[in-house]
Amino acid sequence: MILVTGGAGFIGGNFVLDWIAETGEPVLNLDALTYAGNLETLASLADDERHVFKRGDICDRELVDGLLQTYRPRAIVHFAAESHVDRSIHGPGEFIRTNVQGTFTLLEAARAYWNGLPPDARAGFRFLHVSTDEVYGSLEPQAPAFTERHPFEPNSPYSASKAASDHLVRAWYHTYGLPVLTTNCSNNYGPFHFPEKLIPLMIVNALAGRPLPVYGDGLNVRDWLYVKDHCSAIRRVLAQGRLGETYNVGGWNEKRNIDIVHTVCALLDEMRPDPAGSYARLITFVQDRPGHDRRYAIDASKIENELGWRPAETFETGIRKTIAWYLENPGWVEHVQSGAYRNWIDTNYASRQNGGTA
Ligand code: NAD
Ligand code: TYD
């Protein structure tokens, strides 16, 4: 089996579902079930023996050691993290704890376990660290997209904590020979995405008739990848990636935020028309995020040339599937919008006056 950390979150949950469907190999899923973890995402696996769920913290060394000894996974795929930039601005401490200390704890536990494996199992073991393009910082409008050789220039507490974890993973390869792989991926979207991030927030707010808050002038650029494409990329890197290497994963879909929001509105107008008029009437420019990176763009040539991976979805196909999923799953959306969620929305948006720079 494999050990997945953070497998009740957005990408980890999609990965667990995808992994079991595609490979049939069992998964041990270690997740602390923070606000971002949701077992409803994994409801279809409730009676499936191939999914073993353990609630716990990746910073708990004793717990991780015990799980490795009991379940003896052949690989660790590490998703668990605090992942939202705006939350990292309001409270960076938890990002340092989980993303830095937690990755360190896992690396040390993995190293001890790997050292004790018999030669064949030791040779086949892998530690795959899931990271982000945000470690590279912000690009000028005409600058070439991030390659794996781009310097690390993180600008938010979130990206700085992820950059730190990437450095640790690299060091555990060079110093101890731990068989690691790292993926740096662009912005994901798709089913089971917590509605604090741009795309699900816009869908959920539009359907509720609430304002669609666009930060600053709305001209920040991100590359967007459908989450199932990210899952297939991780499977490919795990199976064929060269040890110690990093692979950029992206969708070849650079989009401005305002264009994303208009696309979401146009598709909702088509798929769930509102008698009150186009959802675009709800677009509201609000105060910008401090330190807001202007542009991310991923050059995913290495993973394509070395491992033959390319995304299956275009943005147009992926966003349509995503919106259809939200329309078909109002129960999932309703359940994640708990009291804690509402407190976060108040914290993040109440202080942003309307009227960004657009
Ligand atoms: P998420 O916030 O949706 O999920 C994170 C999961 O980790 C949750 O289930 C949470 O309960 C769990 N978790 C948090 N702290 C934990 C701890 N101390 N111990 C155990 N579990 C803990 O995040 P996501 O969007 O699914 O991102 C997954 C990974 O992918 C992260 O490492 C993130 O940095 C990376 N990534 C995300 C994106 C994106 O667009 N979402 C893009 C590139 C990379
Ligand atoms: P987000 O989904 O938080 O991902 P990240 O900051 O990791 O890229 O945000 C994506 C972009 O959308 C980013 O430029 C910030 C912007 N944004 C808004 O304009 N309004 C919002 O309410 C949110 C959450 C994000």
Side-chain angles (χ1 to χ4, degrees), residues 57-78:
D57 191 329
I58 56 165
C59 298
D60 183 343
R61 175 69 193 270
E62 210 178 315
L63 170 75
V64 178
D65 283 343
L67 291 174
L68 291 173
Q69 286 310 325
T70 306
Y71 292 94
R72 312 202 63 77
R74 68 171 183 89
I76 298 175
V77 183
H78 175 34

Side-chain angles (χ1 to χ4, degrees), residues 83-86 134 158 187 193 196-202 212-216 218 220-222 224 257 261 286 289 292-293 296 348-349 352:
S83 69
H84 188 31
V85 173
D86 292 316
E134 303 194 24
Y158 165 65
N187 285 53
H193 204 181
E196 64 181 356
K197 306 275 172 71
L198 180 71
I199 288 179
L201 184 85
M202 295 300 147
L212 307 179
V214 175
Y215 296 168
N220 303 65
V221 172
R222 300 288 182 264
W224 293 93
N257 292 341
V261 177
V286 300
R289 171 190 281 172
H292 194 176
D293 286 337
Y296 305 140
N348 194 37
Y349 295 97
R352 292 178 195 274

Side-chain angles (χ1 to χ4, degrees), residues 9-11 31-32 34 37 57-58 79 83 98 131 158 162 186 188:
F10 164 48
I11 306 174
D31 194 297
T34 67
D57 191 329
I58 56 165
F79 294 95
S83 69
T98 286
S131 191
Y158 165 65
K162 290 297 288 188
S186 57
N188 285 217

Side-chain angles (χ1 to χ4, degrees), residues 65-346:
D65 283 343
L67 291 174
L68 291 173
Q69 286 310 325
T70 306
Y71 292 94
R72 312 202 63 77
R74 68 171 183 89
I76 298 175
V77 183
H78 175 34
F79 294 95
E82 288 293 331
S83 69
H84 188 31
V85 173
D86 292 316
R87 284 186 192 255
S88 82
I89 295 167
H90 286 276
E94 201 51 33
F95 286 71
I96 303 304
R97 198 187 77 83
T98 286
N99 300 0
V100 185
Q101 190 71 30
T103 301
F104 164 71
T105 306
L106 270 184
L107 285 167
E108 279 295 81
R111 181 164 75 92
Y113 168 68
W114 171 72
N115 273 328
L117 289 174
D120 277 2
R122 197 176 140 88
F125 184 78
R126 297 287 182 271
F127 184 106
L128 192 153
H129 174 60
V130 179
S131 191
T132 167
D133 60 357
E134 303 194 24
V135 298
Y136 299 125
S138 188
L139 285 170
E140 294 299 323
Q142 303 307 327
F146 300 130
T147 68
E148 290 78 358
R149 303 189 70 77
H150 197 280
F152 276 26
E153 292 172 339
N155 295 316
S156 72
Y158 165 65
S159 54
S161 69
K162 290 297 288 188
S165 68
D166 291 14
H167 287 316
L168 292 176
V169 171
R170 176 188 162 89
W172 261 240
Y173 172 73
H174 285 281
T175 302
Y176 303 113
L178 188 71
V180 305
L181 299 153
T182 297
T183 52
N184 291 89
C185 188
S186 57
N187 285 53
N188 285 217
Y189 67 100
F192 305 111
H193 204 181
F194 193 74
E196 64 181 356
K197 306 275 172 71
L198 180 71
I199 288 179
L201 184 85
M202 295 300 147
I203 299 171
V204 166
N205 277 15
L207 291 172
R210 288 194 292 264
L212 307 179
V214 175
Y215 296 168
D217 61 7
L219 301 182
N220 303 65
V221 172
R222 300 288 182 264
D223 173 74
W224 293 93
L225 181 71
Y226 191 61
V227 65
K228 288 187 192 306
D229 280 328
H230 190 189
C231 296
S232 74
I234 291 171
R235 275 192 274 113
R236 186 70 59 90
V237 172
L238 188 62
Q240 296 170 22
R242 283 188 296 132
L243 295 184
E245 292 291 316
T246 63
Y247 293 90
N248 282 355
V249 184
W252 303 102
N253 281 313
E254 272 189 68
K255 305 273 181 204
R256 303 183 310 179
N257 292 341
I258 189 67
D259 297 332
I260 296 279
V261 177
H262 276 295
T263 301
V264 168
C265 290
L267 282 171
L268 283 172
D269 286 342
E270 176 197 319
M271 295 161 84
R272 180 69 58 86
D274 182 349
S278 171
Y279 292 100
R281 75 187 190 283
L282 300 170
I283 293 174
T284 309
F285 289 91
V286 300
Q287 199 174 70
D288 209 350
R289 171 190 281 172
H292 194 176
D293 286 337
R294 195 66 173 161
R295 174 176 168 241
Y296 305 140
I298 277 273
D299 180 340
S301 309
K302 179 177 171 182
I303 188 171
E304 180 170 348
N305 296 337
E306 274 190 22
L307 307 181
W309 176 90
R310 262 193 84 85
E313 303 290 345
T314 62
F315 187 72
E316 288 63 33
T317 60
I319 191 70
R320 191 173 273 280
K321 287 183 183 179
T322 303
I323 292 176
W325 186 88
Y326 278 87
L327 291 175
E328 286 157 14
N329 292 276
W332 186 92
V333 174
E334 198 181 307
H335 296 163
V336 299
Q337 293 181 292
S338 64
Y341 175 79
R342 286 195 294 277
N343 291 344
W344 162 251
I345 295 296
D346 288 347

